[in-house]
Amino acid sequence: MTSTRPAPAPLTGQEPEREALQAVEDRVLWLSTAIVDHANRVRPNPGGLKVGGHQASSASIVSIMTALWFHALRPEDRVSVKPHASPVLHAINHLLGELDASYLTTLREAGGLQSYPSRSKDPDPVDYSTGSVGIGATAPIWGTIARRYAEGLGQRAGTGRQFSLVGDAELDEGAVWEAVLDPMVRELGEVCWIVDFNRQSLDRVVPDISATRLHALFTAAGWQVISVKYGRLLSELYARPGGDALRRRIDEMTNPEYQRLLRCTPLQLRERLPGDGPEGEAIAALLKEVTDGAVHAAIRNLGGHDLGALADAYDAIDDTRPTVIFAYTVKGYGLATQGHPQNHSSLLTETQMRALATGLGTDLDDPWAPLPAGPAADLCAAAATRLRRSPAAPAAAPVIPEDLDRTPTGTGHTQQALGRALLDLTRSAPDAARRVVTVSPDVTSSTNLGGWLNKVGSWSAHERRDWFADDAETILHWHEKPSGQHIELGIAETNLVGLLGELGATWSRWGEPLLPIGVLYDPFVARALEPWAFGMYAGGQSILVGTPSGVSLAPEGGAHQSITTPSIGLEQPGCVAFEPAFGVEVGWCLLDGLGRLGRPGGSSTYLRLSTVPVDQSLAAVPTDPAARAQRRRQVTAGAYPLRRAAGTPAVTIAVMGALVGQALAAAERLEEQGRPTDVVVVTSPDRLFRALRARDAATGAHAEAPTWILDAAFPADRVARLVTVLDGHPHTLAFLASVHGVRASHLGVTDFGRSSGLADAWAHHHLDTDAIVAAALA
């Protein structure tokens, strides 16, 4: 085959520039197609596993990305590239001198190019990791807020647009609309989405996708909407006699019918395009005046493949509000598979690749040959110079104290302790506290952050008047200002963790480390799980606080009682999970988490907190400074012995979180029955499991985990029958039996809860003192 793409409209009216850009576009199409071809057809594959790749999805967006990088992009701009267009990004980076040719043969190979763009794993520059549909699309929104926030701290983040290249099928994802509709977003003029509007999904041509409806949704949300529907050839036909009829015919055509025309010969186009309507004769007469080649080229001459039309759209972006550009495209444009309803994962044959090479002026036997000297190579060199960025020299992460020197007294719960710990941080480490930013989806007051909010204020792009500042009955004050340190989002947990991920990436993206802490109801951690995990995969470092948690949230009923979150925290890569039992432990675990943020090799933290009142004196925190430091180290390492029976124990109770009081009461009763009992408080099953794996050399994993904590919490000379108990699924702590290979009973929650009082909930799920004693005696 030969290339059938019509020539784009001039960008400046100068033919040499148009030809150079066209040549670069041809080379980007070739390289992106050849990258996938080599991975699947050329590279040896002894395992036989499908490699995959997306030639058609890449071809769909080649023009959009060529015009963006080689005409509109500035060094301060950042771009999120749709997942299936990663070969296009790598092709462009290669032409800009940012990726050596040796990597072009390594798509989806160990140590090579990732399947989807990755900031942390790809060898060339990637602004945003993408791969989970809808999440990469929204990331630049949260990146914009993070950049603005970081800029207010140190003037390192600069300016720049935040582009998101979105496949139209991604707009099916609810996460997209949760982000678009947040009230804060309409003020973010840096945000620009470019929708690759090819009207195809993975399986088929989407029959009822409506650009008009989508335009209205974005307009209602306060976005500028730009449509790039037709290219120069079609526009010229529309200007001729019969052109208005042709436009109406194409505008009113269903997506499947239009896509079928892309697979037609010129003769078939002349037969089908006029249609059966009253204007068919006028359309047929117009087509008689056009050559077969022009008819064939015009039907696929959509605006998303017209470099001039795209450049005009980029030049029309209004930086005072977010912008969305709908660029109409053909999936597989320029390839033998273009427009086919099942071309999503299809691969060109060798014959088709050779024909493509001929049409694009390349050679399949030498696919990575550089551009010859001339205008196209000069354009690439000029773009490379223009887009070159100076690496962000990161500021040093703030120094985090090890202890806030507060020992809570009386009766309280761990959720209360979080707010107190944040306020204590402002006094003991003000430089670190200034870099803390909290985020909440409309649960600030109900998660005990009111005192923190009143002290630091709420972040807003512009200062707003607090109309309730003089109301004596108002307890929570919303002082909205650019220097505020709390960001309040709407009720959308996906937005919360999306923003957390970007706030947690400012140290590497902008050189300004932040200490982001997100707070949400623990039952909704599962709702936010995928984007939360993806944010960590992409390099974001943050603290997520789930509170209140467990069936201990008894009156709320089964819908609001989290069961699986303890094991979620244990199993999540890039994250350390804690569930402290006492207020003092909240401060220690929080400081441990803050100390791992904003730095190379850092990691995130998940804190699971409760609203169950606990007598704080039960913690028996040592008053001696050295003994207190030892307790702190054990807490942050994962566990500590709270009660040691005299002599050899018959039972060890390992308890986590809010049930510590029941565990201690059970130990007393067992002691009375002649069964000496130890109580070990588990603060991080996550870190204990890592220690256990590190102790087992056969796993070859987590060698850095401190194994000493196993000996401190479960010493070999105190091996006994084990009872584990937590307000969550019992398998979270079941691995502890393997520390010494003992018999064990595991108490926890394995069924949906129901509305009740606290004591009834614990009894119903066999978590009360009676149940613990019974398990120890069994």
Side-chain angles (χ1 to χ4, degrees):
M1 63 165 283
T2 58
S3 176
T4 57
R5 294 196 310 285
L11 301 182
T12 64
Q14 297 177 358
E15 191 70 11
E17 181 182 353
R18 181 194 64 76
E19 292 179 351
L21 198 60
Q22 174 77 66
V24 171
E25 180 189 24
D26 286 349
R27 186 54 59 98
V28 172
L29 176 62
W30 168 255
L31 288 173
S32 58
T33 308
I35 286 171
V36 180
D37 175 69
H38 188 280
N40 288 273
R41 188 183 59 80
V42 180
R43 192 171 71 212
N45 185 9
L49 187 67
K50 175 188 173 183
V51 177
H54 301 85
Q55 291 175 330
S57 293
S58 292
S60 177
I61 203 169
V62 162
S63 306
I64 291 171
M65 292 179 66
T66 300
L68 182 61
W69 260 263
F70 294 92
H71 171 74
L73 209 61
R74 303 165 300 179
E76 62 269 27
D77 299 334
R78 297 293 184 271
V79 187
S80 172
V81 177
K82 73 171 188 175
H84 293 162
S86 65
V88 184
L89 177 61
H90 298 311
I92 289 175
N93 279 338
H94 171 65
L95 293 177
L96 295 175
E98 298 284 0
L99 183 68
D100 188 79
S102 62
Y103 280 104
L104 301 180
T105 63
T106 67
L107 180 68
R108 302 190 174 198
E109 184 179 60
L113 303 176
Q114 298 302 295
S115 53
Y116 311 121
S118 171
R119 287 190 70 221
S120 59
K121 299 181 184 299
D122 270 317
D124 54 332
V126 174
D127 292 334
Y128 287 96
S129 295
T130 60
S132 193
V133 173
I135 295 176
T138 59
I141 287 179
W142 315 124
T144 296
I145 296 175
R147 186 205 62 77
R148 289 193 182 195
Y149 193 99
E151 178 68 10
L153 285 178
Q155 292 77 49
R156 287 168 170 260
T159 57
R161 291 172 178 162
Q162 304 291 308
F163 287 95
S164 185
L165 307 183
V166 185
D168 53 358
E170 285 192 85
L171 299 182
D172 292 344
E173 285 287 347
V176 167
W177 299 106
E178 288 183 0
V180 168
L181 294 175
D182 191 277
M184 191 177 295
V185 173
R186 66 191 306 153
E187 298 182 348
L188 307 179
E190 303 98 311
V191 172
C192 180
W193 286 15
I194 306 171
V195 180
D196 174 9
F197 201 70
N198 59 47
R199 301 164 306 285
Q200 282 188 240
S201 63
L202 187 151
D203 289 331
R204 61 174 181 161
V205 177
V206 181
D208 297 317
I209 190 169
S210 172
T212 302
R213 184 178 69 252
L214 292 171
H215 289 191
L217 289 170
F218 278 100
T219 299
W223 291 49
Q224 176 192 23
V225 179
I226 299 174
S227 182
V228 188
K229 191 168 186 179
Y230 298 119
R232 178 172 58 86
L233 293 184
L234 271 177
S235 297
E236 289 177 354
L237 285 180
Y238 294 156
R240 299 186 186 185
D244 288 342
L246 177 62
R247 177 191 283 271
R248 283 189 291 272
R249 167 78 171 116
I250 293 178
D251 280 345
E252 296 169 3
M253 192 178 293
T254 66
N255 293 326
E257 182 182 6
Y258 175 80
Q259 294 291 112
R260 183 63 186 89
L261 294 180
L262 299 174
R263 310 291 299 170
C264 289
T265 65
L267 178 59
Q268 291 171 325
L269 284 173
R270 294 183 187 279
E271 294 172 348
R272 296 187 180 204
L273 193 52
D276 301 325
E279 296 184 307
E281 291 185 5
I283 297 172
L286 170 62
L287 297 180
K288 285 182 180 179
E289 304 299 321
V290 182
T291 66
D292 283 353
V295 170
H296 195 259
I299 195 60
R300 49 191 40 76
N301 179 226
L302 298 181
H305 302 299
D306 190 305
L307 297 172
L310 289 166
D312 290 343
Y314 300 157
D315 293 341
I317 293 172
D318 176 6
D319 287 326
T320 65
R321 54 179 172 157
T323 296
V324 60
I325 299 173
F326 285 91
Y328 286 68
T329 60
V330 174
K331 194 164 184 174
Y333 185 71
L335 306 182
T337 57
Q338 62 183 330
H340 193 280
Q342 281 88 50
N343 66 5
H344 182 80
S345 297
S346 64
L347 299 169
L348 299 188
T349 66
E350 180 179 354
T351 299
Q352 291 170 332
M353 286 295 298
R354 291 195 180 278
L356 179 66
T358 299
L360 296 177
T362 59
D363 183 356
L364 184 60
D365 297 322
D366 188 15
W368 323 119
L371 280 167
D378 294 342
L379 180 61
C380 290
T385 300
R386 170 172 51 85
L387 296 175
R388 188 163 294 124
R389 301 171 183 164
S390 300
V399 176
I400 306 297
E402 293 183 331
D403 199 334
L404 296 172
D405 298 320
R406 175 191 288 273
T407 304
T409 57
T411 298
H413 51 73
T414 53
Q415 179 178 289
Q416 289 172 332
L418 174 67
R420 293 195 189 104
L422 288 173
L423 291 173
D424 286 343
L425 188 67
T426 63
R427 292 185 284 270
S428 61
D431 291 341
R434 183 63 190 95
R435 291 187 175 271
V436 170
V437 51
T438 55
V439 187
S440 168
D442 199 36
V443 294
T444 301
S445 57
S446 55
T447 54
N448 289 85
L449 288 183
W452 164 259
L453 172 68
N454 289 341
K455 182 174 182 62
V456 302
S458 176
W459 183 86
S460 174
H462 310 286
E463 187 160 0
R464 293 189 176 96
R465 181 175 177 179
D466 180 6
W467 290 97
F468 288 87
D470 59 347
D471 187 332
E473 296 183 3
T474 298
I475 299 175
L476 204 64
H477 293 285
W478 292 94
H479 303 298
E480 297 182 84
K481 52 190 176 180
S483 61
Q485 291 182 244
H486 176 77
I487 300 177
E488 185 86 354
L489 298 174
I491 308 174
E493 287 75 18
T494 297
N495 289 351
L496 168 82
V497 295
L499 178 54
L500 270 187
E502 291 305 319
L503 289 167
T506 56
W507 68 274
S508 60
R509 195 190 301 283
W510 312 115
E512 284 292 347
L514 297 178
L515 306 176
I517 302 172
V519 181
L520 78 168
Y521 289 166
D522 194 66
F524 305 146
V525 167
R527 182 184 298 178
L529 182 56
E530 186 200 5
W532 178 49
F534 195 85
M536 285 181 270
Y537 165 81
Q541 301 169 4
S542 63
I543 296 175
L544 183 68
V545 180
T547 185
S549 64
V551 298
S552 299
L553 194 60
E556 293 287 342
H560 280 178
Q561 295 174 2
S562 54
I563 297 170
T564 61
T565 47
S567 52
I568 285 174
L570 187 156
E571 296 163 7
Q572 177 58 51
C575 180
V576 176
F578 292 108
E579 183 164 347
F582 298 102
V584 68
E585 298 167 13
V586 174
W588 290 337
C589 295
L590 179 66
L591 295 176
D592 179 88
L594 292 173
R596 287 179 280 105
L597 299 182
R599 63 197 69 217
S603 62
S604 295
T605 297
Y606 165 51
L607 278 174
R608 188 175 189 254
L609 305 183
S610 171
T611 50
V612 175
V614 174
D615 180 357
Q616 298 300 301
S617 68
L618 295 177
V621 180
T623 56
D624 179 79
R628 179 185 176 99
Q630 181 188 45
R631 168 71 68 85
R632 175 181 50 76
R633 286 193 297 271
Q634 291 175 338
V635 165
T636 57
Y640 64 94
L642 180 59
R643 183 186 192 276
R644 289 293 196 215
T648 302
V651 179
T652 297
I653 301 173
V655 62
M656 190 163 80
L659 294 170
V660 63
Q662 281 74 6
L664 289 170
E668 293 290 341
R669 285 173 51 179
L670 289 166
E671 193 85 32
E672 293 171 359
Q673 299 179 51
R675 298 182 67 83
T677 302
D678 285 355
V679 175
V680 176
V681 176
V682 176
T683 52
S684 177
D686 182 5
R687 281 192 159 159
L688 290 184
F689 187 70
R690 297 185 199 203
L692 187 62
R693 293 195 73 201
R695 194 179 71 175
D696 179 4
T699 65
H702 300 294
E704 79 288 352
T707 59
W708 62 263
I709 189 59
L710 299 176
D711 298 324
F714 304 99
D717 61 353
R718 301 191 70 81
V719 174
R721 172 177 174 79
L722 179 67
V723 177
T724 66
V725 57
L726 75 154
D727 188 356
H729 198 283
H731 98 271
T732 307
L733 298 180
F735 72 92
L736 291 177
S738 65
V739 174
H740 292 299
V742 298
R743 293 176 59 208
S745 297
H746 305 292
L747 305 182
V749 184
T750 58
D751 202 355
F752 292 110
R754 60 187 182 185
S755 295
S756 70
L758 187 56
D760 288 337
W762 284 340
H764 175 72
H765 293 284
H766 305 290
L767 296 176
D768 58 2
T769 302
D770 287 345
I772 299 172
V773 171
L777 295 173

